[in-house]
Amino acid sequence: MLLVEARNLPSHVGIIMDGNGRWAQLRGAARVEGHREGSRAVRRVVRAARRLGLRALTLYAFSEQNWSRPEDEVDALMLLLRDFLLSERGEILNNGIRLNAVGNIGKLPAIVRAVLDPLRKDSETATEMTLTLALSYGGREEIAMAARELACDVKDGRLRPEDITTDALRRRMPSLCVGDPDLVIRTGGERRISNFLLYGLAYAELHFSDTLWPDFDAVDLYEAIENYQRRERRFGLVGKPAPPDEKLAHTSNASREPLAIDNRHLRLVG
Ligand code: FPP
């Protein structure tokens, strides 16, 4: 049984969804089959995140560097993305989810833009959860874009060089309009960041899962969050003295009253 505290949820969770290709290869199938199963995992995880009450979920769906993959794989990913947006439109709108996209959106093909743009617009006032798809996204590219914007403001006399602060940079980064990520999960066994949310990652907790993305489900998400809740975030400050028995302090807390029984795997406690 996993124990997740409702009061201590990460506000913004980012996920690097890796392992689709290997999932397919293990089954002797084409890579696109892994991506197809991967988009089913996206549905599951978005639902689980919304049910749990996360405020923001950012999914690394297509990196700026992914354009260099074989053309048929890129085309298949774009079709899957369009299908996802079409099939989830109702659920997104009915559940208070704001659909956002960050990255070089102008590079996406018209078949994606035709469904993405109206859904962004139609969901823009939703307040329960922001689902951000990072598409044609790169963390370095985003930092460079923010720096360019600030440089233009200085050149045109709207900003003084001394006003270029860490916050001024952050405010120019669309991926951080929902706040810095508190927790970033990478599936598929690799332990790297691959140009995801670079600037916002400064104090994020990282969780690496060996599960290949198409197999990732609600329980894996709960596990990552439970693990996050066991950590002490210090933001560069000194830590609290450790309780006599860390493990005991975490698991036996008589004052925790269950808020909801989510399913047989999870107890959400207040
Ligand atoms: C990485 O796996 C995954 C991607 C490059 C694409 C992610 C896309 C999806 C999960 C499906 C479509 C997205 C949405 C939002 C519906 P990989 O291909 O690099 O796997 P590998 O490391 O095993 O080769």
Side-chain angles (χ1 to χ4, degrees), residues 5-63:
E5 275 183 272
R7 272 196 297 259
N8 186 25
L9 287 174
S11 170
H12 179 187
V13 174
I15 308 186
I16 303 172
M17 309 180 288
D18 192 25
N20 293 352
R22 277 164 287 158
W23 185 93
Q25 199 178 18
L26 282 168
R27 287 157 181 79
R31 291 178 58 81
V32 57
E33 292 310 319
H35 294 314
R36 201 183 312 284
E37 202 55 38
S39 65
R40 295 194 182 106
V42 171
R43 283 188 186 94
R44 285 197 298 270
V45 169
V46 170
R47 276 183 199 151
R50 172 68 185 84
R51 275 205 338 246
L52 203 53
L54 299 187
R55 307 301 304 162
L57 177 69
T58 299
L59 301 177
Y60 202 7
F62 194 84
S63 75

Side-chain angles (χ1 to χ4, degrees), residues 57-123:
L57 177 69
T58 299
L59 301 177
Y60 202 7
F62 194 84
S63 75
E64 184 60 26
Q65 289 66 34
N66 286 156
W67 291 114
S68 307
R69 291 193 175 199
E71 200 180 321
D72 58 344
E73 184 172 341
V74 171
D75 290 348
L77 277 166
M78 293 299 141
L79 283 174
L80 282 171
L81 184 58
R82 183 200 61 167
D83 291 350
F84 170 83
L85 293 167
L86 279 173
S87 68
E88 299 309 288
R89 184 182 156 87
E91 190 154 332
I92 286 172
L93 294 174
N94 291 333
N95 285 282
I97 300 175
R98 179 166 77 98
L99 191 279
N100 196 13
V102 294
N104 196 346
I105 304 304
K107 263 172 112 171
L108 297 172
I111 54 151
V112 172
R113 294 293 300 274
V115 284
L116 177 66
D117 295 346
L119 186 50
R120 282 173 85 181
K121 176 125 201 31
D122 295 343
S123 66

Side-chain angles (χ1 to χ4, degrees), residues 1-10 48-49 51-54 183 218-230 250 256-263 265-270:
M1 172 69 73
L2 295 164
L3 265 188
V4 169
E5 275 183 272
R7 272 196 297 259
N8 186 25
L9 287 174
R51 275 205 338 246
L52 203 53
L54 299 187
L183 168 67
V219 176
D220 294 297
L221 177 70
Y222 303 153
E223 240 166 50
I225 292 175
E226 192 202 41
N227 183 283
Y228 161 90
Q229 292 184 333
R230 265 184 260 143
H250 167 65
R256 287 176 176 175
E257 280 302 315
L259 277 184
I261 309 285
D262 200 63
N263 67 15
H265 300 290
L266 171 78
R267 199 146 70 96
L268 187 65
V269 293

